[in-house]
Amino acid sequence: MSSFKHRTPIQIRFKDIDQVGHVNNANHLSYFELARMHYSDTVLGKIDWSENGFIVASARIEYRKPIMLNDTVFVLTRTSKMGTKSFEMEYEIIRIEADKSETLLATGASVMVCINYHSHATIPIPEDWRTKVTTFEGI
């Protein structure tokens, strides 16, 4: 978990909880999305989403332990690979325990594809984005 430089706090909402008493599995993707947007704002700065942006091409999740309503949870986020038009992001959902230790609850990854929203065509990763990400991540 220490290789992740970006961390987003997650507020668990009552609506996230299922009948079994833990966060329903579908919410993990929403938590990843929230963390991805926080990462984007932090690392890339404000993006004009009416022009160019990125979309999810694929996503995967591995569930390790349940998330409960009163848990203190963060999503750790990083960009792990960069191609020509796409990049891969990785996620870890962690719980902060009473003794301040961290417990891994889930891992995931998504492939993001850069797109021009006017032409609906893929585009190369903008050079300023590439520079900002590689500087932040050290990749």
Side-chain angles (χ1 to χ4, degrees):
M1 289 182 269
S2 63
S3 63
F4 286 80
K5 297 178 181 178
H6 190 270
R7 168 179 298 239
T8 303
I10 301 296
Q11 179 182 5
I12 308 299
R13 300 161 298 183
F14 185 74
K15 75 169 209 67
D16 296 348
I17 306 303
D18 63 18
Q19 194 171 18
V20 182
H22 54 70
V23 169
N24 182 274
N25 66 298
N27 289 292
H28 291 61
L29 283 174
S30 294
Y31 298 164
F32 291 167
E33 177 185 42
L34 181 65
R36 186 169 52 248
M37 296 315 298
H38 184 234
Y39 178 97
S40 173
D41 287 347
T42 302
V43 177
L44 300 178
K46 295 295 180 191
I47 293 174
D48 179 0
W49 291 96
S50 66
E51 294 290 325
N52 296 323
F54 47 84
I55 58 173
V56 177
S58 67
R60 78 173 162 74
I61 306 168
E62 293 181 26
Y63 304 95
R64 305 274 178 119
K65 296 181 186 258
I67 302 171
M68 309 306 283
L69 179 61
N70 293 314
D71 286 347
T72 301
V73 173
F74 290 84
V75 177
L76 309 181
T77 312
R78 69 178 170 204
T79 299
S80 55
K81 296 178 188 171
M82 296 189 83
T84 304
K85 295 182 176 185
S86 66
F87 55 96
E88 183 172 306
M89 298 190 79
E90 295 178 342
Y91 315 93
E92 290 185 347
I93 300 177
I94 61 165
R95 177 177 57 232
I96 306 300
E97 304 296 349
D99 66 358
K100 306 296 183 203
S101 65
E102 299 177 352
T103 300
L104 183 62
L105 305 176
T107 61
S110 61
V111 173
M112 310 305 299
V113 176
C114 294
I115 189 167
N116 176 279
Y117 290 115
H118 296 293
S119 66
H120 304 286
T122 60
I123 59 170
I125 298 170
E127 280 307 312
D128 62 320
W129 293 6
R130 183 181 299 280
T131 300
K132 290 175 181 178
V133 169
T134 55
T135 299
F136 180 80
E137 296 290 356
I139 56 174

